[in-house]
Amino acid sequence: MPTPNDPPATPAFEILSPDQQCVPLVFNSPHSGRVYPESFLAASRLDPWTIRCSEDTYVDELFASAVGQGAPLLRANFPRAWLDVNREPYELDPKMFSGRLPDFANVRSVRVAGGLGTIARIVSESEEIYDRPLDVAEALERIEAYYKPYHQALHDLVARTRSAFGLAVLVDCHSMPSATRGGAGRLRPDIVIGDRYGTSCAVELTDMAAQILTQLGYSVSRNKPYAGGHITEHYGRPCQGVHALQIEVKRCLYMDERSLEPTAGFEPLRKDLSIFVQGLAGAIGSGLLSLPDAAE
């Protein structure tokens, strides 16, 4: 992928659209991008494998069956390590940049402190990405050229869905490392469902998602260790008929976390997630979620 001033050889993101949207679901894969700008790789102190450790590799492919079931899927092609759209637009660490950040930048968020702002400082929990400070103008250019168009596309998908069906359900799709931080042998549950502790979607939706996945044989946790990021929090407005749910899938279920190659588990998981989409769509179609009052 080129710098923002170059004509793009690969689109920054893609919307995979069904012939006709027939369910009030929108799927989003913001961290599965695998097109790395050459200028970014040249500025990084990391080898190509290490810098990919923050990817939600293949998640867009795992959930791609949603398109055949009548739901659009938005996916980023740029990598999370270069620009993270699951953050506020200006969560920026002043220590990373030469020059002064704009006064409206959020420089004190927990995510910035952890090195994982809109422009990440680290990957793999501790590996510093850059070997030099970045120009502030470069960061702001990424946000203008990539972040804002991505969110405009997601906003439009959600708004059109709500207009067509009276409600919209955004499913934000992610993957997670299999072991907990610093805990060799301590594995996470298979799938974590995040609803911002009941604030980003109706509890009936979270219950149904957990029920379907549990019946498929997966261990499921809610909100721990992931309650949902900026996208879940920002878009989830249940009282306005917009529900947002984050899904985190454990990577060892479908890929080798060292080679980053899919394993024999990829296809069974993909099929199960297709069943999950079908079950969720069916439940919503049967009246699981009530429409908001017209006054709202």
Side-chain angles (χ1 to χ4, degrees), residues 2-230:
T3 61
N5 290 324
D6 296 330
T10 301
F13 54 85
E14 297 172 275
I15 300 171
L16 307 183
S17 299
D19 293 335
Q20 180 178 0
Q21 186 174 355
C22 56
V23 293
L25 289 162
V26 174
F27 287 80
N28 181 47
S29 184
H31 289 165
S32 55
R34 302 188 285 278
V35 181
Y36 285 78
E38 289 298 326
S39 59
F40 174 55
L41 295 175
S44 173
R45 55 179 291 275
L46 302 178
D47 62 84
W49 180 86
T50 303
I51 207 167
R52 293 188 63 190
C53 288
S54 64
E55 280 180 23
D56 289 347
T57 314
Y58 309 123
V59 163
D60 53 335
E61 298 175 31
L62 285 172
F63 284 91
S65 65
V67 180
Q69 299 186 55
L73 185 149
L74 173 63
R75 65 181 180 190
N77 287 323
F78 54 82
R80 174 191 189 183
W82 185 71
L83 176 70
D84 194 342
V85 291
N86 197 24
R87 298 291 182 262
E88 297 173 22
Y90 298 100
E91 285 189 82
L92 300 171
D93 184 346
K95 296 189 297 295
M96 289 180 60
F97 303 100
S98 59
R100 180 181 173 85
L101 290 172
D103 292 339
F104 53 76
N106 181 352
V107 300
R108 293 185 175 86
S109 77
V110 172
R111 292 178 288 220
V112 167
L116 296 171
T118 314
I119 308 292
R121 177 171 54 82
I122 65 170
V123 298
S124 191
E125 300 179 350
S126 62
E127 295 283 352
E128 296 277 343
I129 295 174
Y130 297 98
D131 61 4
R132 61 171 176 82
L134 298 178
D135 289 336
V136 168
E138 182 178 344
L140 299 180
E141 197 170 16
R142 290 184 202 178
I143 293 165
E144 289 294 326
Y146 290 82
Y147 182 103
K148 290 184 178 180
Y150 188 95
H151 275 278
Q152 185 63 57
L154 184 55
H155 173 272
D156 291 347
L157 283 174
V158 171
R160 286 199 297 268
T161 299
R162 188 194 183 285
S163 177
F165 296 93
L167 59 86
V169 175
L170 172 60
V171 182
D172 203 39
C173 307
H174 298 264
S175 68
M176 57 185 172
S178 301
T180 59
R181 180 179 299 183
R186 292 186 294 163
L187 295 180
R188 291 183 165 130
D190 294 328
I191 295 174
V192 177
I193 299 173
D195 65 0
R196 302 295 301 180
Y197 297 97
T199 63
S200 68
C201 73
V203 65
E204 294 86 355
L205 182 64
T206 308
D207 288 345
M208 179 57 64
Q211 178 182 324
I212 295 169
L213 292 166
T214 300
Q215 289 176 345
L216 287 167
Y218 297 97
S219 58
V220 178
S221 173
R222 300 192 194 192
N223 293 309
K224 294 181 180 179
Y226 303 107
H230 171 71

